[in-house]
Amino acid sequence: YKPFGSFLQWRNSFSFNQQSLFNEFKYIGTDITFTSSTKLINNMSVGLRVNLTPDKVYDYFEPRVENKFYVRDPHQAFMLWLSTNYAEPFAYDLVGEFYFAKLDEKSQNGFSFTNSPRIRFSDKVIFIYSNNTKFEYNDVGYVGKSPQGDSIFFGKRNINTSTNTIDLNYVFNKKSSLSFKLRHYWSMIDYFNYYSLGSNGRLYPLYLSYQHVGNNDLNFNSFTIDLHFKWIFMPGSEFSLVYKQSITS
């Protein structure tokens, strides 16, 4: 590749994947992915990824019962990202993603946005903050099964998720460093419809008061702290001291 115009680098890739169960060779699904990324003369990087599912997906894992499957509608996903020059004292990453199954208000769809500024105070200290916010609408997933195990229940839900992370890294010298990470994860799940999974992989509505399906709404918070000291005391040999703590509610 020879640089031209404002482009220092430009990479493109295309992939075609088809999945099936290993032991029985049952078809799961097909996806097509195209990725394009480039670095500009100001060392800013931008990229695009397109993921297409041209056919139905036969999900043998979500039902959590052997030989059962759930048929998912084809879905399409698009991602854009931008990163400024990491050699500068201040830089940031931006990532946006959008996906949908069908262009109507009842289909599964969602989007997410990541904003991550970073400050390099010196050659020894760097601070990175990252926020990822994700909204998923009309998502469908497993919620339970009947006591006899002959009926599997799914729920339709909206999911809001936010993840905030603070990374602080200090390099003592070329052999030792200290890193600190604080992470807060919050997820709220609101169910509004329940279904029974049929033998054909399709969903059939249930009454909200159905006795074997309780209230599955969820509001989950988690704080985690990681402190990691690393010392390379000889080539190929490393000593690590790690402290971890977590709080959930």
Side-chain angles (χ1 to χ4, degrees):
Y1 176 82
K2 293 183 179 180
F4 69 95
S6 299
F7 303 97
L8 289 178
Q9 298 177 357
W10 194 351
R11 298 180 179 179
N12 297 282
S13 66
F14 176 84
S15 66
F16 178 90
N17 297 296
Q18 189 174 81
Q19 291 182 304
S20 61
L21 292 179
F22 176 76
N23 53 350
E24 299 179 14
F25 296 101
K26 291 182 178 178
Y27 176 76
I28 294 177
T30 300
D31 67 86
I32 301 168
T33 303
F34 170 74
T35 305
S36 179
S37 62
T38 183
K39 178 179 284 189
L40 305 177
I41 56 176
N42 60 359
N43 284 318
M44 177 182 290
S45 298
V46 294
L48 163 71
R49 176 174 296 159
V50 179
N51 183 265
L52 306 176
T53 305
D55 196 8
K56 299 181 181 68
V57 176
Y58 295 82
D59 190 339
Y60 286 89
F61 305 101
E62 189 64 24
R64 306 180 192 185
V65 174
E66 191 175 359
N67 295 322
K68 294 287 186 178
F69 62 91
Y70 164 55
V71 179
R72 296 185 181 275
D73 290 329
H75 62 275
Q76 327 306 331
F78 304 87
M79 177 188 291
L80 290 169
W81 67 86
L82 178 149
S83 295
T84 61
N85 186 2
Y86 282 7
E88 298 293 335
F90 177 78
Y92 58 86
D93 298 312
L94 296 174
V95 181
E97 184 175 9
F98 171 71
Y99 75 90
F100 63 90
K102 297 177 181 178
L103 290 177
D104 63 68
E105 61 181 11
K106 295 182 179 180
S107 72
Q108 297 184 46
N109 65 87
F111 64 92
S112 67
F113 180 76
T114 300
N115 177 34
S116 181
R118 57 176 60 209
I119 303 174
R120 182 168 49 82
F121 295 100
S122 68
D123 291 339
K124 293 181 176 291
V125 184
I126 185 170
F127 171 86
I128 303 172
Y129 169 73
S130 178
N131 169 260
N132 174 263
T133 303
K134 187 175 184 179
F135 299 94
E136 300 171 82
Y137 301 106
N138 301 312
D139 184 73
V140 176
Y142 172 91
V143 294
K145 59 183 178 180
S146 62
Q148 298 78 17
D150 56 349
S151 297
I152 302 171
F153 307 123
F154 276 56
K156 181 173 283 191
R157 61 218 176 179
N158 293 331
I159 305 175
N160 297 336
T161 304
S162 177
T163 305
N164 290 277
T165 305
I166 292 175
D167 284 280
L168 184 62
N169 297 281
Y170 183 83
V171 177
F172 297 100
N173 50 55
K174 64 181 181 180
K175 293 185 177 181
S176 61
S177 63
L178 181 67
S179 63
F180 170 81
K181 175 178 285 188
L182 174 66
R183 179 178 180 267
H184 173 237
Y185 173 87
W186 170 74
S187 182
M188 184 174 68
I189 304 177
D190 178 26
Y191 284 87
F192 54 90
N193 277 320
Y194 290 99
Y195 304 86
S196 175
L197 180 66
S199 59
N200 60 355
R202 294 298 185 179
L203 300 178
Y204 299 91
L206 287 174
Y207 293 108
L208 290 177
S209 60
Y210 190 74
Q211 59 179 336
H212 297 310
V213 180
N215 182 8
N216 291 276
D217 292 350
L218 180 67
N219 193 334
F220 178 78
N221 275 279
S222 174
F223 282 94
T224 58
I225 296 174
D226 291 89
L227 188 63
H228 180 205
F229 172 75
K230 183 174 70 172
W231 173 39
I232 302 175
F233 57 89
M234 61 183 300
S237 299
E238 178 182 303
F239 171 79
S240 291
L241 187 62
V242 179
Y243 172 78
K244 292 179 178 288
Q245 184 62 267
S246 64
I247 302 173
T248 60
S249 64

